[in-house]
Amino acid sequence: MRQNGAVTEDVQLTQPATITNDFSIVVATVNGTGSQTANLALLRALMKMGIPVNGKNIFPSNIQGAPTWYHIRLSHEGYVARRHTSEILVAFNQATVQQDIAKLPPGGVCIYNADWRTIPHRDDLVYYPIPVNEFVVRSGLKGKLRDYIANMVYVGALAQLLGMPLPALEEALLKHFNGKRKLAEPNIEVMHAAHAFAEANIVKADPFAVSPMAVTEETIVITGNEAAALGSIFGGVSFAAWYPITPSTSLIDTLNEYLPRLRRDPESGKATYAVIQSEDELAAIGMVLGAGWAGARAMTATSGPGISLMAEFAGLGYFAEIPAVIWDVQRVGPSTGLPTRTSQGDVMFTYYLGHGDTKNVILFPATVKECFEFGISSFDLADTLQAPIFVLSDLDLGMNNWTSAPFDYPTEPINRGKVLSAQEVAEHGFARYKDLDGDGIGHRTFPGNENPAAAWLARGTGHNEVPTYSEKPEDWLANMNRLDRKFDTARRLVPAPVLQEVEGAEIGIIAYGTTVYAIDEARDRLAEAGIKSSYLRLRALPVNETVREFIRRYPQVYVIELNHDGQMHKILQTEVPDMAAKLKSLAHLDGMPLTAKWVVDRLNGGSHE
């Protein structure tokens, strides 16, 4: 269906009409052939034109040789959620061309390699053949470089067909090659040649075009992992231990890129930080807790399988009350699952991670800006609450490129929480786990405190306030009750939910993380159909009174999430047991980012399977 020249989610393209800045492109290539250079050039050039755009890399879990797809969505309305279909296909992988063409909607476009003998034909599609090998041979490049340069052919052809200015693409390529013209030049030459071929030989028969807008001026392109690392640096990280795992590795890679520039003693030139690749995730979290106990701002980054290995140490951090920050960039489980697909599947496991009665504080960033902000605030929370803080991002947010307004420079000073100096210990005494303020949080000291009375033993066994080892029932109960008070204190300190309420709405929606993009678009579509909804986006656990009151106000509240079992739905039922029956789970997981169409179908009376 076409409305005002724009493609809606129920698109059926059967006649040419100008459709500008409102369609999706999927580029089907082979992993390991350098297609990311071409795809990022397209993405950056479109953004440079001022067009709201988002790119999602759907890549395999092997190193190279398997199919990979890159989805680029343009939306003059500013939507960035994945669409359930793409109108333009760049078919550069012969192994998947049949299924790729089958997915195109009627009226769609297929740009394909004309060197192939045959491809599936459909009467309701527009086909544009491009002789790829001709341009590769003309480039004179040898070996693997031939594969890489072949991708510039579809960049040039797309630029001509859509009306993209070549200078914008040249600028994007130069940025990719760090301004080194010699490296970028072969790519630029092939792009120009393919553009000239398309201009001379192809008669455009489709409605899709791009046109400059002024929406993305003064924006940046960044991944969530990069934003998280930069935020962590501004948050004062001085120690990181990790073990490589998709999709979190680039977070630590970014730390390693920027810390050497920013964390050196100005006089000696020596590093004032440490980043250690450990032998596994178990060792990594052990090092992080040791550094946190010593007073460092310490962190790690991992994904689901790594969280599993960290379970015992996480319980120690909770019970011994040691600050730490753990970034979990979620992927699909169980087990190894789908290592290069996105999900929100670690929520319940992480919330209760540890042995016995353990509850952890979790932050849920939904934007790259929040990745940056939570990179900072997670350390303040860890120090204030004297506890491990988990930040649950996901592969879509962490590894894909997003546009954002530049991040704000932090203005608040670092908050180290209740740390006693030697003089304060002398004046007031020191009992590590004594609750003097009624908030469940004791005072701590750092190693090196000159007062001998400042020493304390961080133990994972039963202890009293002093703390000394204790198996007395009254000491155990007092300690666990104090930890409950501290968890209630956390409810007031964690980032507040984002609330969007609509007068007259009959349904409420609760969600978290990157589902926000599909939900925002779906709510607009539903509102056009006369269905009003209110929305609460969780940004943290534990929940506070705002969440309880939101649920109370609506007869039906849908909890939308990207996992199979409805994990947040189950947690909320335990948090508000008196209103558990009002909560309905809408959970979905197929490894792909959520679409607005799926949300609309479910909230509009569709299947809830």
Side-chain angles (χ1 to χ4, degrees):
M1 185 167 116
R2 187 179 295 110
Q3 295 179 348
N4 300 323
V7 180
T8 70
E9 284 292 330
D10 294 316
V11 61
Q12 294 292 324
L13 304 173
T14 56
Q15 53 183 313
T18 302
I19 299 174
T20 304
N21 299 344
D22 198 15
F23 53 89
S24 290
I25 304 166
V26 59
V27 181
T29 56
V30 177
N31 195 41
T33 59
S35 56
Q36 276 292 82
T37 301
N39 298 331
L40 290 178
L42 288 167
L43 188 76
R44 288 194 174 108
L46 290 166
M47 191 202 75
K48 215 55 173 163
M49 294 176 66
I51 304 169
V53 64
N54 181 258
K56 298 190 186 299
N57 189 24
I58 310 300
F59 61 102
S61 58
N62 66 346
I63 296 174
Q64 62 181 11
T68 184
W69 296 268
Y70 194 80
H71 295 256
I72 299 175
R73 181 178 185 181
L74 299 80
S75 169
H76 62 75
E77 296 176 284
Y79 297 124
V80 296
R82 180 179 73 90
R83 294 187 66 241
H84 78 289
T85 189
S86 294
E87 292 76 36
I88 298 177
L89 165 68
V90 176
F92 268 46
N93 185 355
Q94 198 167 11
T96 64
V97 67
Q98 185 165 344
Q99 68 185 69
D100 293 335
I101 288 176
K103 291 179 180 179
L104 280 171
V109 175
C110 176
I111 301 168
Y112 69 96
N113 188 341
D115 302 323
W116 300 341
R117 288 188 177 182
T118 60
I119 66 167
H121 181 77
R122 284 173 49 187
D123 293 336
D124 58 352
L125 301 180
V126 177
Y127 289 86
Y128 296 131
I130 309 291
V132 176
N133 194 52
E134 174 184 325
F135 302 106
V136 173
V137 171
R138 196 187 308 172
S139 73
L141 295 173
K142 307 295 182 183
K144 192 127 184 101
L145 291 176
R146 292 167 63 92
D147 293 335
Y148 294 163
I149 209 73
N151 297 310
M152 288 299 117
V153 176
Y154 67 73
V155 174
L158 264 177
Q160 195 280 324
L161 290 166
L162 297 177
M164 295 178 64
L166 287 174
L169 284 159
E170 290 181 13
E171 184 180 345
L173 284 168
L174 283 169
K175 180 177 178 61
H176 181 81
F177 289 103
N178 296 316
K180 297 176 182 177
R181 186 87 194 182
K182 187 175 181 180
L183 293 176
E185 197 61 43
N187 297 272
I188 293 173
E189 289 178 0
V190 170
M191 179 182 70
H192 274 274
H195 185 280
F197 171 87
E199 188 173 32
N201 296 281
I202 292 179
V203 178
K204 185 172 172 65
D206 70 86
F208 305 107
V210 298
S211 180
M213 297 175 65
V215 177
T216 60
E217 292 179 352
E218 305 298 325
T219 58
I220 61 173
V221 176
I222 193 170
T223 68
N225 283 352
E226 292 167 336
L230 290 172
S232 299
I233 293 171
F234 278 95
V237 64
S238 58
F239 180 84
W242 68 300
Y243 186 79
I245 184 172
T246 302
S248 70
T249 297
S250 60
L251 198 160
I252 302 296
D253 287 343
T254 306
L255 284 183
N256 279 325
E257 179 182 355
Y258 286 100
L259 281 173
R261 308 184 208 174
L262 302 172
R263 290 288 175 79
R264 292 193 177 277
D265 183 272
E267 296 181 2
S268 67
K270 292 183 178 180
T272 58
Y273 69 92
V275 178
I276 299 174
Q277 181 176 330
S278 61
E279 61 267 35
D280 54 31
E281 290 88 349
L282 184 64
I285 188 62
M287 294 180 192
V288 166
L289 289 176
W293 172 82
R297 290 205 143 182
M299 67 174 290
T300 188
T302 188
S303 193
I307 293 291
S308 298
L309 291 174
M310 294 179 182
E312 184 175 1
F313 264 125
L316 172 64
Y318 172 83
F319 195 58
E321 299 179 65
I322 302 172
V325 172
I326 301 101
W327 278 81
D328 175 9
V329 188
Q330 298 168 96
R331 67 190 208 186
V332 178
S335 188
T336 306
L338 301 175
T340 58
R341 297 291 187 267
T342 193
S343 87
Q344 296 175 327
D346 297 342
V347 178
M348 182 171 286
F349 182 49
T350 304
Y351 192 47
Y352 300 113
L353 190 68
H355 301 102
D357 297 311
T358 307
K359 293 191 294 291
N360 295 300
V361 174
I362 303 177
L363 308 185
F364 299 108
T367 67
V368 289
K369 184 178 181 183
E370 286 185 341
C371 285
F372 177 79
E373 293 171 346
F374 291 178
I376 299 170
S377 62
S378 57
F379 285 107
D380 283 348
L381 278 171
D383 276 345
T384 299
L385 293 169
Q386 300 170 19
I389 303 297
F390 291 83
V391 189
L392 267 57
S393 174
D394 62 35
L395 184 146
D396 184 24
L397 181 58
M399 293 193 70
N400 284 322
N401 286 278
W402 301 79
T403 56
S404 172
F407 306 144
D408 296 325
Y409 195 91
T411 57
E412 296 296 321
I414 284 176
N415 182 0
R416 298 310 307 265
K418 299 180 181 181
V419 179
L420 298 178
S421 66
Q423 182 176 347
E424 288 171 326
V425 171
E427 291 175 356
H428 306 293
F430 175 52
R432 172 64 182 93
Y433 295 121
K434 188 171 185 177
D435 182 8
L436 297 174
D437 306 310
D439 58 7
I441 304 170
H443 290 73
R444 63 179 176 140
T445 59
F446 291 150
N449 188 305
E450 296 176 355
N451 192 319
W456 64 283
L457 178 62
R459 56 169 78 247
T461 51
H463 50 262
N464 56 23
E465 295 176 342
V466 178
T468 56
Y469 179 74
S470 173
E471 295 184 3
K472 295 179 179 179
E474 58 269 27
D475 286 340
W476 181 265
L477 288 172
N479 202 38
M480 294 303 292
N481 289 337
R482 180 184 59 80
L483 288 171
D484 280 343
R485 290 198 301 276
K486 184 167 79 167
F487 205 63
D488 284 335
T489 298
R491 298 179 193 276
R492 305 193 302 269
L493 298 179
V494 297
V498 175
L499 195 58
Q500 298 174 2
E501 293 200 89
V502 175
E503 187 176 352
E506 290 292 322
I507 61 172
I509 299 170
I510 295 178
Y512 55 99
T514 52
T515 57
V516 62
Y517 302 107
I519 292 169
D520 281 347
E521 183 176 356
R523 291 181 65 227
D524 287 348
R525 305 302 185 212
L526 289 167
E528 291 170 3
I531 302 174
K532 296 180 179 181
S533 63
S534 291
Y535 178 37
L536 183 145
R537 177 164 67 85
L538 287 170
R539 299 202 297 163
L541 285 174
V543 301
N544 58 22
E545 193 62 25
T546 301
V547 179
R548 170 178 284 276
E549 290 304 315
F550 180 84
I551 297 170
R552 189 186 307 280
R553 283 193 289 273
Y554 297 95
Q556 187 81 74
V557 178
Y558 295 93
V559 183
I560 299 176
E561 49 192 317
L562 203 61
N563 55 59
H564 182 269
D565 293 336
Q567 296 178 25
M568 183 64 76
H569 172 254
K570 291 179 172 64
I571 290 172
L572 290 177
Q573 285 186 315
T574 66
E575 294 280 323
V576 288
D578 54 317
M579 294 182 286
K582 300 175 70 173
L583 298 170
K584 186 170 187 62
S585 177
L586 291 183
H588 176 70
L589 180 65
D590 60 4
M592 302 290 281
L594 204 62
T595 67
K597 184 180 186 303
W598 186 91
V599 178
V600 168
D601 287 348
R602 270 44 182 194
L603 292 178
N604 200 20
S607 169
H608 290 216
E609 295 296 324

